Amino acid sequence: MNADLQREDEEIRKEFPILTPDEAYLDNSATVQKPQCVLEAMEKYYREMNANPLRGLYGLSVKATDAYESAREAVRSFINADSTEEIIFTRNATESLNLIGYAWTADHLKPGDEILISIMEHHSNLIPWQQAAARTGAVLKYVECDKSGSISEEAFRAALTPKTRLVCMTEVSNVLGCKNPIRQFAAIAHKNGAVFVCDGAQSVPHMPVDVKDLGVDFLAFSGHKMYGPMGIGVLYGKKEILEDMNPFLFGGEMIEYVTRDSATWNELPHKFEAGTVNAGGAVGLHAAIDYMQRIGWDTIIRREDHLTQYCMEQMQELPYIHILGSDRWENHHGIITFLIDGVHPHDVATILDSMHVDVRAGHHCAQPLLKFMGAMSTTRASISFYNTEQDIDHFIDALKKVRPEMGITE
């Protein structure tokens, strides 16, 4: 191993107290581990400024409000939104997508309208649109990818019709790791008169995402996949669209004025944040954003690219392993989903666990995609910049023992 890379590994990993040399954590697409600075920021919030934000005029509540709104500004800057009014805190990307699925579709879809999604969507960017179609009488349509995960412009244009009102697509597939050309597709959708929703759960933690550059109307992502805590997510929406939407949840803080018989709604973004907010989670997310910016995109992308290449090239030397999607590491963005001849993915994950390698097995909340790819279940290894060549070596060595453990010797 290069000595400079080893020193960099050591500097990065010392910030993650849960990581040890004996265990290879390769389930980063599900959730990443948290650096010490995030844990400390949340502890400091609860020790020194815990109060209900936005509601009190006393000093502790003002501190909590400032911390919460400072986190909102950090998110706005991170994705280059125009205004903090366009940043709504939710529990996770799933809730963000469901918010659109209820609040936007209720007043903007009618029978016969079409919703277009890709075959590779996570269930969180599929089921809300199934349900919206069922409620409104709209029609849910799919655009398919090829076996490498690529969706051509021709296929996308062919799937659009004059009835398409909403297009929903992931930027990076949580199964194939492929990156969709969101900027290009959003521009085409807008010319067709459709609103574009982007699921950024697997892209925002791994590459720069600029909502103005992408041209999307909505972007959803989760804090826990980008080194922040669980329970905090983000919905970005263009201000003019959010202003035209009714609230998703009702109760405290999202109201302006209430009588016995009616209510009016608070201004953006508060009309979509009913009840007591997750201020501690927002503070943790702010600390995670600061941490990612301190590490820098150059370092994050360089390390994840290197480890993806290092891992895939070794896996491709094993004839009994079959990687889903592209055979080029550049198209996987840290996500490697695979099958092993003669061994069920659940057995693969169990055997790897016994060797202290953490991977995920199952349908990865993308059953229509797996069926399209000809698989019912797969195993997935996913990489973060804090992983090391030692983690990959550990994983590869364990993979080589899976079939012998199952009694397969040929």
Side-chain angles (χ1 to χ4, degrees), residues 54-75:
L54 310 171
R55 300 183 186 185
L57 299 179
Y58 55 94
L60 208 55
S61 181
V62 172
K63 285 183 180 180
T65 301
D66 289 346
Y68 185 66
E69 293 303 330
S70 177
R72 198 189 307 275
E73 167 57 26
V75 173

Side-chain angles (χ1 to χ4, degrees), residues 116 142-146 150-160 169 185 188:
L116 179 63
Y142 292 83
V143 57
E144 295 183 351
C145 59
D146 62 23
S150 176
I151 299 174
S152 69
E153 179 180 334
E154 292 74 21
F156 184 74
R157 287 185 181 277
L160 287 171
M169 187 175 292
F185 288 170
I188 295 169

Side-chain angles (χ1 to χ4, degrees), residues 58 75 80 86 92 102 104 150 171 186 242-243 257 266 268 334 345 347 357 381 383 397 401 408:
Y58 55 94
V75 173
N80 197 31
E86 299 179 319
N92 42 47
Y102 279 91
W104 187 87
S150 176
E171 186 167 21
L242 292 173
E243 286 181 332
Y257 188 75
N266 204 342
L268 289 174
D347 292 324
V357 177
I383 291 165
D397 288 344
K401 297 173 183 175
I408 303 171

Side-chain angles (χ1 to χ4, degrees), residues 86-101:
E86 299 179 319
I87 306 300
I88 298 162
F89 284 127
T90 62
R91 288 187 305 149
N92 42 47
T94 299
E95 184 173 289
S96 297
L97 293 164
N98 273 273
L99 192 161
I100 310 164

Side-chain angles (χ1 to χ4, degrees), residues 114-333:
E114 294 176 356
I115 305 168
L116 179 63
I117 68 174
S118 84
I119 192 65
M120 69 180 70
E121 300 309 314
H122 188 284
H123 294 165
S124 294
N125 201 30
L126 188 165
I127 298 172
W129 317 122
Q130 284 183 344
Q131 295 300 306
R135 286 193 307 271
T136 64
V139 177
L140 183 64
K141 294 179 62 178
Y142 292 83
V143 57
E144 295 183 351
C145 59
D146 62 23
K147 293 300 182 180
S148 73
S150 176
I151 299 174
S152 69
E153 179 180 334
E154 292 74 21
F156 184 74
R157 287 185 181 277
L160 287 171
T161 77
K163 295 182 179 181
T164 305
R165 296 288 176 265
L166 187 66
V167 178
C168 310
M169 187 175 292
T170 185
E171 186 167 21
V172 172
S173 167
N174 74 307
V175 175
L176 304 177
C178 55
K179 183 176 183 288
N180 287 315
I182 296 298
R183 181 192 302 107
Q184 176 185 6
F185 288 170
I188 295 169
H190 288 152
K191 288 181 180 178
N192 195 68
V195 166
F196 199 100
V197 176
C198 179
D199 177 357
Q202 298 295 340
S203 60
V204 172
H206 301 284
M207 61 192 68
V209 173
D210 181 326
V211 291
K212 286 189 282 192
D213 180 57
L214 288 181
V216 296
D217 300 295
F218 294 103
L219 174 75
F221 58 98
S222 292
H224 72 97
K225 296 182 190 292
M226 51 184 290
Y227 311 98
M230 294 182 180
I232 189 76
V234 174
L235 174 64
Y236 157 81
K238 288 182 178 177
K239 182 178 178 181
E240 61 270 21
I241 299 178
L242 292 173
E243 286 181 332
D244 192 42
M245 291 163 53
N246 282 312
F248 174 44
L249 298 172
F250 302 90
E253 194 54 47
M254 52 74 58
I255 53 89
E256 179 185 48
Y257 188 75
V258 179
T259 69
R260 289 181 180 232
D261 303 310
S262 64
T264 56
W265 314 135
N266 204 342
E267 61 188 7
L268 289 174
H270 305 297
K271 78 171 182 178
F272 292 110
E273 294 181 0
T276 298
V277 297
N278 183 5
V283 167
L285 178 57
H286 188 173
I289 289 172
D290 287 348
Y291 173 74
M292 291 178 70
Q293 291 174 325
R294 174 161 61 85
I295 296 298
W297 283 120
D298 288 346
T299 298
I300 291 171
I301 293 170
R302 170 177 53 80
R303 290 180 60 88
E304 292 182 354
D305 282 353
H306 168 68
L307 292 171
T308 303
Q309 180 180 12
Y310 186 69
C311 187
M312 273 194 65
E313 287 179 349
Q314 293 184 75
M315 292 178 72
Q316 288 169 330
E317 292 177 359
L318 304 175
Y320 47 83
I321 291 182
H322 308 282
I323 297 172
L324 270 67
S326 174
D327 59 1
R328 297 174 59 86
W329 67 264
E330 300 97 319
N331 297 332
H332 280 263
H333 298 92

